[in-house]
Amino acid sequence: MQPFTKNVITVIQRIPNGKVMTYGQVAACAGSPRGARQVVRILHTMSEKYHLPWHRIVNMKGEITIQDAVRQKALLEDEGIVVSPTFTLNLKHYQYKFDPIDYDF
């Protein structure tokens, strides 16, 4: 497994209940600020195998953009996150501030 992939998995696994991160934020924390599309690929292929909380990842505007938006919205709401009928949430309130210094990347 590539180091970036391992780092992405670690970052996503550390997002606590009731918080979200953006694709770009995960990429930057994992060591590749321009790797948001890679984060999408990793989520798509490895979420089940590594039990990733995929539903805690949103776009940079705080929008749910995946095909199964209704399911993602329900999972986020189960964690206490308020999601609007247009599938957006308040990033200022719910965004997790991951500190890569706390991990050995």
Side-chain angles (χ1 to χ4, degrees), residues 20-87:
V20 298
M21 290 180 77
T22 68
Y23 296 100
Q25 182 186 8
V26 170
C29 289
S32 182
R34 298 177 52 91
R37 288 182 190 255
Q38 285 293 92
V39 173
V40 172
R41 181 192 59 79
I42 292 165
L43 280 170
H44 180 73
T45 60
M46 299 186 173
S47 285
E48 189 173 318
K49 181 177 181 179
Y50 290 96
H51 308 288
L52 300 178
W54 58 269
H55 61 284
R56 295 183 188 144
I57 309 298
V58 296
N59 76 10
M60 64 187 263
K61 296 177 185 175
E63 300 168 336
I64 296 173
T65 57
I66 66 164
Q67 198 169 19
D68 197 357
V70 173
R71 182 170 175 220
Q72 185 174 3
K73 180 179 187 283
L75 290 168
L76 291 171
E77 289 175 336
D78 285 347
E79 294 184 6
I81 295 175
V82 177
V83 182
S84 78
T86 59
F87 299 97

Side-chain angles (χ1 to χ4, degrees), residues 1 3 6 24 33 36 45 79-80 89 95 100:
M1 179 182 305
K6 184 178 177 183
T45 60
E79 294 184 6
L89 55 94
Q95 190 169 25

Side-chain angles (χ1 to χ4, degrees), residues 85-103:
T86 59
F87 299 97
T88 60
L89 55 94
N90 183 339
L91 277 179
K92 289 183 181 182
H93 186 72
Y94 297 110
Q95 190 169 25
Y96 179 57
K97 305 298 184 199
F98 183 90
D99 189 353
I101 304 271
D102 294 337
Y103 301 94

